[in-house]
Amino acid sequence: MYENPTLAIALASGDDHLIPDEKIAEVRKHFEEFYEDVFLELANYGEIEELHVLNNIGAHLIGNVYCKFATEDDAENCLKKVTGRFYGGKPITAEYSPVTDFREARCRQFEEGSCARGGHCNFMHLKPVSRKLKNYVFETMYQEHPDYLQRHKKKKGSKGERKRSKDRGEKKKKKHRSRSRSRSRSRSRSRKKSRSASHSPSASKVKEDKHKEMTSEERRAMIAMWDQEDDGNGGPKEG
């Protein structure tokens, strides 16, 4: 889709040291105008998460544009809208891409500046996009399509509600556990009191224990005292 200028192909081949700086600036400007134009046009059909243009010069990769949408419905809508259209006087060939993770498909050696195959590498060489341009196109997309932001607010709201309901459930469980613990403690205390009361000796048992603890001499003295009390009361009368 992207019609690379001749100098852009030379840059992709690694001949940038032969090109004057002002020409390199022109190539970058040409690409950035294309990137902004395509990004904002495709954003009319769905929320864009990533947009990449390849720097490869192989016949099956040169000029390819990869766009990742936020949802499958957005991607399907874009495919329908751009099929049969033209860009730069050439028909657009749109299709679903088997690439789902650009991080895995891109050439890490290219990013490190050490890819030995150069522009003919079969891994993705992504054209660099300035942070300033990325910020601009994303801000413009959300300004022109505020409904995309509403999606995120709804998702955050549903997640927040689920979290709040979960927290409420946890609090109820904690309250229930604390109540059950307090009840079990009060029951255990009442059991301990009943056990201590049942184990305490009665008054009669105390008296019996006291009698049991008397020696034989003490018992004889007590019996003699009872006899004296009987004699003092007159004792039993004979008939």
Side-chain angles (χ1 to χ4, degrees), residues 38-102:
V38 171
F39 188 104
L40 297 180
E41 176 62 25
L42 297 183
N44 292 323
Y45 313 127
E47 181 184 2
I48 296 175
E49 289 187 347
E50 296 180 54
L51 182 70
H52 299 291
V53 181
L54 295 192
N55 204 38
N56 305 65
I57 58 176
H60 62 297
L61 294 175
I62 187 170
N64 284 2
V65 177
Y66 292 84
C67 185
K68 181 180 180 181
F69 287 92
T71 66
E72 292 182 1
D73 291 339
D74 289 344
E76 183 179 3
N77 184 45
C78 179
L79 184 64
K80 291 178 180 178
K81 296 293 184 181
V82 301
T83 298
R85 292 181 60 183
F86 288 77
Y87 187 87
K90 293 184 178 181
I92 298 174
T93 304
E95 60 183 6
Y96 292 118
S97 171
V99 179
T100 57
D101 190 345
F102 294 116

Side-chain angles (χ1 to χ4, degrees), residues 7 62 138 144 158 203:
L7 291 178
I62 187 170
F138 275 100
E144 295 180 352
S158 59

Side-chain angles (χ1 to χ4, degrees), residues 8 18 43 70 97-98 124 138 180 182 224:
L18 301 176
S97 171
M124 297 173 71
F138 275 100
S180 61
S182 62

Side-chain angles (χ1 to χ4, degrees), residues 210-222:
K210 286 184 178 180
H211 290 304
K212 287 179 182 179
E213 291 174 1
M214 289 182 181
T215 62
S216 58
E217 292 179 359
E218 290 174 343
R219 282 196 294 271
R220 282 196 296 271
M222 184 176 288

Side-chain angles (χ1 to χ4, degrees), residues 68-214:
K68 181 180 180 181
F69 287 92
T71 66
E72 292 182 1
D73 291 339
D74 289 344
E76 183 179 3
N77 184 45
C78 179
L79 184 64
K80 291 178 180 178
K81 296 293 184 181
V82 301
T83 298
R85 292 181 60 183
F86 288 77
Y87 187 87
K90 293 184 178 181
I92 298 174
T93 304
E95 60 183 6
Y96 292 118
S97 171
V99 179
T100 57
D101 190 345
F102 294 116
R103 292 173 298 180
E104 295 297 325
R106 66 190 183 190
C107 177
R108 291 181 175 80
Q109 285 76 20
F110 170 74
E111 294 177 353
E112 296 170 357
S114 60
C115 181
R117 300 200 64 183
H120 295 280
C121 179
N122 287 320
F123 285 95
M124 297 173 71
H125 288 195
L126 307 181
K127 286 184 178 292
V129 181
S130 66
R131 184 180 297 274
K132 181 179 179 181
L133 178 58
K134 280 186 178 180
N135 290 340
Y136 170 75
V137 293
F138 275 100
E139 288 175 4
T140 303
M141 175 180 70
Y142 288 121
Q143 287 174 359
E144 295 180 352
H145 305 280
D147 52 306
Y148 296 162
L149 288 176
Q150 294 298 323
R151 296 178 182 177
H152 299 288
K153 290 181 180 179
K154 288 180 180 179
K155 288 180 181 179
K156 288 180 180 179
S158 59
K159 288 181 180 178
E161 182 59 32
R162 286 196 297 269
K163 187 177 184 300
R164 286 192 292 272
S165 61
K166 184 179 178 181
D167 292 341
R168 286 194 293 267
E170 290 295 329
K171 287 180 181 179
K172 288 181 180 179
K173 288 180 181 179
K174 287 180 180 179
K175 286 183 180 179
H176 178 72
R177 286 196 292 265
S178 62
R179 287 173 184 171
S180 61
R181 281 198 295 269
S182 62
R183 287 171 185 168
S184 62
R185 287 172 185 168
S186 61
R187 287 171 186 163
S188 63
R189 284 196 292 269
S190 62
R191 289 195 196 102
K192 287 180 181 178
K193 288 180 181 178
S194 61
R195 286 174 185 169
S196 62
S198 62
H199 290 163
S200 62
S202 62
S204 61
K205 285 185 179 181
V206 171
K207 289 181 180 179
E208 290 176 3
D209 291 341
K210 286 184 178 180
H211 290 304
K212 287 179 182 179
E213 291 174 1
M214 289 182 181

